[in-house]
Amino acid sequence: MKKIISVVLAVILLAMPLCTEAFASDGEANYDDLVAPCFTYLDSISACISKGILGFVTCTTGFISFDTNKTFVLTCYLQRTDGTHAWENYKSYSETYTENGSHAFEKNWFAPAGHDYRVLSVLEIKNSAGVILETATCPSAVLYK
């Protein structure tokens, strides 16, 4: 019975994607108790990584913003480390959006074993003149491979 329960729990844990998300604050911010970052033009940003088949990983990144007349440049970095060095960018992909709302994309990349992997979402919000108004980052949980 214990083996069946442990197998079921292991399958559930493997099926859950490793996701994190950051949100903008609502109303007045109390900076003494604040833990999450505050954004002016952004409502939320997310980064997820999950194990695929045949050595691939699925990287998902997205954001929500209801601010108008802005350009949003969303970049997804697949980062890796061998445990002795800092995170290094292994793969990257960018998309540009000019409309507000919810936007996301997903990339599948080959990720050789022997490294730990994570996704780093970077969002640059620009005005009509191309000046960067805000930059937000969000790392995912670490996928041990």
Side-chain angles (χ1 to χ4, degrees):
M1 185 66 177
K2 288 182 182 179
K3 286 185 179 180
I4 293 172
I5 292 173
S6 63
V7 169
V8 170
L9 288 176
V11 169
I12 291 171
L13 289 175
L14 287 174
M16 292 175 37
L18 304 170
C19 299
T20 58
E21 197 162 7
F23 293 96
S25 67
D26 294 333
E28 293 293 319
N30 180 356
Y31 292 104
D32 295 332
D33 299 328
L34 191 62
V35 175
C38 291
F39 303 112
T40 304
Y41 305 101
L42 178 67
D43 290 296
S44 115
I45 183 171
S46 63
C48 296
I49 187 168
S50 60
K51 195 179 282 191
I53 57 171
L54 300 174
F56 282 81
V57 294
T58 301
C59 305
T60 307
T61 185
F63 73 95
I64 300 172
S65 178
F66 297 108
D67 215 338
T68 57
N69 300 323
K70 304 289 184 286
T71 300
F72 305 93
V73 180
L74 181 62
T75 305
C76 175
Y77 294 98
L78 175 61
Q79 296 183 320
R80 70 180 184 180
T81 183
D82 60 4
T84 59
H85 296 90
W87 289 103
E88 65 178 1
N89 294 336
Y90 177 60
K91 302 276 186 176
S92 67
Y93 178 77
S94 293
E95 285 193 9
T96 301
Y97 304 95
T98 56
E99 295 181 2
N100 62 352
S102 175
H103 301 282
F105 62 82
E106 181 177 283
K107 294 297 289 180
N108 292 308
W109 283 310
F110 180 71
H115 293 89
D116 300 332
Y117 293 91
R118 75 175 183 182
V119 170
L120 180 66
S121 296
V122 178
L123 178 68
E124 289 183 339
I125 302 172
K126 301 177 181 180
N127 64 10
S128 58
V131 175
I132 297 175
L133 302 173
E134 190 167 72
T135 300
T137 61
C138 180
S140 71
V142 177
L143 178 67
Y144 302 100
K145 208 168 172 201

